[in-house]
Amino acid sequence: MASIAPKRRKPWKWLFWLVVVPVALFAGYTWVVLNWSYSEGERAGYVQKLSKRGWLCKTWEGELALVTMPGTVAEKFFFTVPDPAVAQRINASIGQRVTLDYQQHVGIPSSCFAETDYFVTDVRVVDEPTLLPGSARPAPEVPATPPAAQSPALPVVPETPPAVAPDPAGNPQPGETPK
């Protein structure tokens, strides 16, 4: 009678199911989250801060002040910039009104990839917003040179001090010698 030998288990099979499969699933999930966007849009305002930060994974993080009307309280929009070239363009436009194009990525598994869900993909500098009809208008610009200097055909008349009316009581006027 022949004895049946017990089956030998392969140790790499357990290693595969315990380590390799979870790591591959995590990598696949991370790739999908970072390449698929939940929403896209744009926000306009003034970039207040942009900095590269993080202990191990350095990411460009910033904040945009969303101002709807002058004098209102600004709402802050926090964002991440994955592309260093876009970060340089944002850094060059700090202090100007800009429009940021962004994509929202929901479910990012770690702050190593970004601290926010909003990834900025492009920046455009825009003009200041126009005032609404009926609101205060800015004062017209005053020319830097006087009109006489702009047109040489006009004669230049020297300024004379203003005439002072005599005091009915006979008191001397400022700059006048008493009689």
Side-chain angles (χ1 to χ4, degrees):
M1 186 152 173
S3 69
I4 300 176
K7 279 188 167 179
R8 290 187 53 187
R9 294 185 179 185
K10 299 177 183 173
W12 58 270
K13 187 175 181 181
W14 288 104
L15 179 69
F16 177 77
W17 287 106
L18 289 176
V19 177
V20 175
V21 169
V23 168
L25 288 174
F26 179 75
Y29 171 78
T30 303
W31 182 85
V32 168
V33 167
L34 292 175
N35 289 304
W36 171 77
S37 70
Y38 174 74
S39 70
E40 296 178 357
E42 59 184 41
R43 302 264 177 124
Y46 298 90
V47 176
Q48 288 186 309
K49 181 171 82 171
L50 182 68
S51 61
K52 190 170 187 176
R53 61 184 182 198
W55 290 105
L56 193 56
C57 305
K58 300 281 188 186
T59 58
W60 285 98
E61 306 294 330
E63 81 184 39
L64 181 75
L66 305 170
V67 181
T68 54
M69 294 284 293
T72 60
V73 177
E75 179 184 344
K76 290 182 182 177
F77 172 67
F78 298 98
F79 60 89
T80 300
V81 185
D83 185 8
V86 175
Q88 282 182 339
R89 290 178 34 219
I90 291 173
N91 222 359
S93 66
I94 287 181
Q96 301 174 11
R97 186 170 172 84
V98 296
T99 299
L100 300 179
D101 293 336
Y102 70 90
Q103 295 178 344
Q104 183 180 7
H105 296 268
V106 179
I108 298 173
S110 167
S111 65
C112 190
F113 299 105
E115 290 184 14
T116 69
D117 289 347
Y118 301 99
F119 287 24
V120 171
T121 57
D122 194 19
V123 60
R124 290 182 310 280
V125 176
V126 296
D127 294 332
E128 293 294 319
T130 57
L131 296 173
L132 298 174
S135 63
R137 303 244 184 249
E141 292 187 23
V142 179
T145 56
Q150 290 178 353
S151 126
L154 296 175
V156 177
V157 179
E159 286 190 33
T160 58
V164 179
D167 187 18
N171 295 329
Q173 297 294 324
E176 190 178 88
T177 57
K179 294 183 185 179

